[in-house]
Structures are given as structure tokens and as C-alpha cells.
Amino acid sequence: MKTLLWIQGLTCNGNTQSVLNGELPSFYELLTKVRLLFHPAVSYREKLHNVVERIKKGKEKLDILVVEGAITGDERFGRAGRYSITELLDILSRKAEYIIAAGNCASFGNIPALYSGNPDVRGLQFRFEKKDGYLPPDFKTSSGYPVINITGCPVHPAWFTQTVMAIVEGKDIMLDRFNRPKELFMYLPHDGCIRNEYFEWKVESEEFGHKEGCLFYNLGCRGPLTHAPCNKVLWNRVSSKTRAGMPCLGCTEFDFPLRENYFETKKNIGIPEEVPLGVTKRAYITITGVAKTLKNERLTKKLEETD
């Protein structure tokens, strides 16, 4: 049985809370497939430094190291007992067969990396878009994989458990350019969005919480611009931001949360500055013009009935 050790850097614990609320399998069902060496939120019989010492001396194998939170060289923060987060990584990264970065902070640095007072904050192998993380750009574990990034703020529990189970079952994991599993992050929230017909006909919602209307053109939805399967692998198996009438914030991408305003679409002469992935701006303008000329009365009426 493979072993799993979970450590934390600079974090709000959101990824822990998300994974602990997972279903099918739950976190506790996952523990029938892996042996948990330590998790700061659930371990009470074992002390972290005892586990680390056993791994360090070769008395305990470490198959999967999970890191939650951004990494800082400032030893006043992100400490775990007698260790700083960098001391833990220096020891454990050499021993782990696989390393998983759980969430955007561990993957890209995310919110902690925005703090100008400490420019040293970063993710494990990335700092935002650049391969400027704590570990070297060419770092790989003994399995031959770089750090596997399961991005999100927080990470979806099913994305995490699916990746762990792929490791347990010895399956190959194909990664994208940000080291995210392609099986999950090849999709967009736009894929499977129940508002897609409104998107195609450019029938836009003007307010949050509406069950009808597209959220892209006016309310800043990042669904067509973000890599994540949020409308294929639903949250709590029933919903997503867009299903609830909330625009996607793009929280799985390296540039979250760098935007100035998440609740409006930045435009230039009435055209969104960023258009859906895979579509040129010229093509988007043409398609939009056609859709508005051939106004879909049925969808417009449905939207008006919800006001």
C-alpha cells in the first residue's frame, strides 16, 4: 500500500477543507487505498517530526507527498513544529516518489505571492506563469514526474482523489504545460455549462444569481478562458458557480487573482479584451454580430421572465 504525507506552507486550509468534504470516494475511503503517514488536520497520534525522521533515515517509505500552500524562505512563517516549510521540502522532495501540489498556492504562489513585503513567496515549481518555484524547473521525483499541480482555489476533492488513485493504480498521468493532469484540465468550465445556448446567441444576464442568461459578456465570467472541468465534475455532485448564477473566476489559472475586477468584462469599443480560447477576435466579432442580428426571441423571453 502506498503511503501519503500531507504538509502545509502558507495556506488558509481551504484545500484541506475541500478534500475532507469529498465524496465518491470520500477522504476516509481514500485511506483504504493509501496509508496516511500524517495530515495536520486529522493526525493526532503521530507527530510530524517523528514521521520525517523515519523517512529521513530510510525507515519509512514516502510514496506521495502532498503540499498545500505557498512556499516562503522566511522561517517565521509556514513552520511545522521544529521544521520550516523549506526544510521539510529539502528533506522530503528527495524521498518522495510523487509530489502533488494541492491548490493554486502550492502550484503558483497565488494570493500569498502577491504580498510585496516578501517577494520570496512562490509555488513548488512555478511562480505565477514562470517556472520560478522553490524546486528547480527541471526537478523530477524518483517516478520521473515533476510536481503534479492540481490547481484551484480551493482544489476540487474529486480532482485530487482521482489523481491519487491514478498513482495508486499505476496509470500514466499526462500533464499540460503547467504540470496539471490533462485528463482533468483539458476541459473548460464552458464545456458542459448549461448557459451555452445563451452564450451562442449573445443573450446576457445583467445580474448575479439569475438562472438564465450568459455571464461572459457583462459579468466577467472566465468559463471560456479557464482550464477546469467544473461543469463536468460538479461540486458536491450537484452544482458549479455558473449553475448558481455566479461567474467563473478562473481560479485554476496562474493569473488568479491578478485581475483588477472579477465581476465585469473589460471591453474595448464594446468588444471583450479577452475572447474565448481557440477563437480569434475577428471571428468572435463576426459571430457576435450574426447572433445579435438573428436575435433569438425565445431565449430573450426566458431571460426577461426571470427578472
Side-chain angles (χ1 to χ4, degrees):
M1 182 179 287
K2 289 193 179 294
T3 60
L4 186 148
L5 172 64
W6 186 302
I7 61 175
Q8 294 176 323
L10 300 176
T11 178
C12 67
N13 295 308
N15 299 289
T16 284
Q17 296 303 317
S18 179
V19 170
L20 290 179
N21 281 283
E23 301 175 289
L24 297 175
S26 71
F27 181 75
Y28 301 100
E29 289 173 321
L30 183 65
L31 297 185
T32 65
K33 305 295 183 182
V34 298
R35 181 164 64 89
L36 182 66
L37 299 179
F38 183 84
H39 188 298
V42 300
S43 297
Y44 61 95
R45 293 179 179 175
E46 189 70 271
K47 294 185 181 299
L48 177 61
H49 70 264
N50 290 337
V51 176
V52 173
E53 285 301 310
R54 292 202 303 270
I55 293 171
K56 187 176 179 181
K57 295 175 181 178
K59 296 180 178 179
E60 183 81 77
K61 68 171 184 172
L62 175 58
D63 295 308
I64 305 170
L65 172 65
V66 180
V67 181
E68 175 184 14
I71 311 305
T72 176
D74 190 330
E75 295 192 357
R76 296 174 298 171
F77 305 103
R79 297 194 64 84
R82 66 181 66 172
Y83 298 106
S84 67
I85 184 61
T86 53
E87 287 172 335
L88 283 174
L89 286 174
D90 290 343
I91 296 169
L92 299 175
S93 63
R94 299 187 183 100
K95 299 288 186 177
E97 186 179 8
Y98 298 88
I99 299 178
I100 295 176
N104 260 38
C105 290
S107 299
F108 300 125
N110 199 246
I111 294 173
L114 293 176
Y115 176 53
S116 60
N118 186 358
D120 185 47
V121 179
R122 60 200 66 240
L124 285 173
Q125 269 190 295
F126 286 85
R127 189 173 192 275
F128 301 118
E129 187 177 15
K130 297 180 179 179
K131 273 198 169 182
D132 187 27
Y134 181 74
L135 297 173
D138 59 351
F139 170 84
K140 292 183 179 179
T141 63
S142 60
S143 64
Y145 283 91
V147 174
I148 299 173
N149 291 329
I150 312 297
T151 58
C153 191
V155 64
H156 191 298
W159 307 346
F160 174 80
T161 54
Q162 181 174 326
T163 303
V164 171
M165 288 308 301
I167 291 172
V168 169
E169 295 173 2
K171 295 181 178 178
D172 290 333
I173 303 174
M174 296 181 64
L175 304 178
D176 68 11
R177 73 185 185 101
F178 291 115
N179 294 350
R180 300 174 297 196
K182 284 186 178 180
E183 186 173 354
L184 295 168
F185 292 92
M186 66 185 290
Y187 298 106
L188 311 178
H190 189 63
D191 300 330
C193 179
I194 59 175
R195 299 171 184 266
N196 277 348
E197 190 178 17
Y198 290 104
F199 173 84
E200 292 164 3
W201 287 97
K202 305 298 174 265
V203 178
E204 300 289 328
S205 179
E206 300 289 342
E207 297 180 19
F208 301 128
H210 276 186
K211 296 300 182 184
E212 308 295 335
C214 182
L215 304 166
F216 172 70
Y217 191 77
N218 292 324
L219 299 179
C221 182
R222 306 286 292 176
L225 299 158
T226 297
H227 296 87
C230 294
N231 277 309
K232 286 184 171 289
V233 184
L234 299 176
W235 290 79
N236 298 321
R237 293 185 288 153
V238 297
S239 193
S240 68
K241 281 187 175 69
T242 57
R243 291 192 178 204
M246 172 70 180
C248 165
L249 301 180
C251 74
T252 59
E253 296 294 348
F254 71 87
D255 58 355
F256 177 80
L258 297 176
R259 296 176 64 209
E260 294 180 1
N261 193 331
Y262 275 89
F263 303 111
E264 67 180 43
T265 301
K266 194 171 183 180
K267 301 171 187 173
N268 186 6
I269 319 178
I271 304 299
E273 290 195 355
E274 295 181 274
V275 298
L277 294 176
V279 180
T280 66
K281 188 161 287 189
R282 177 178 293 182
Y284 180 80
I285 294 171
T286 301
I287 294 168
T288 300
V290 172
K292 288 184 176 180
T293 300
L294 303 175
K295 184 177 180 181
N296 189 313
E297 298 290 350
R298 178 180 61 84
L299 293 180
T300 302
K301 184 177 180 181
K302 280 181 66 178
L303 179 61
E304 290 172 349
E305 288 174 350
T306 63
D307 290 342

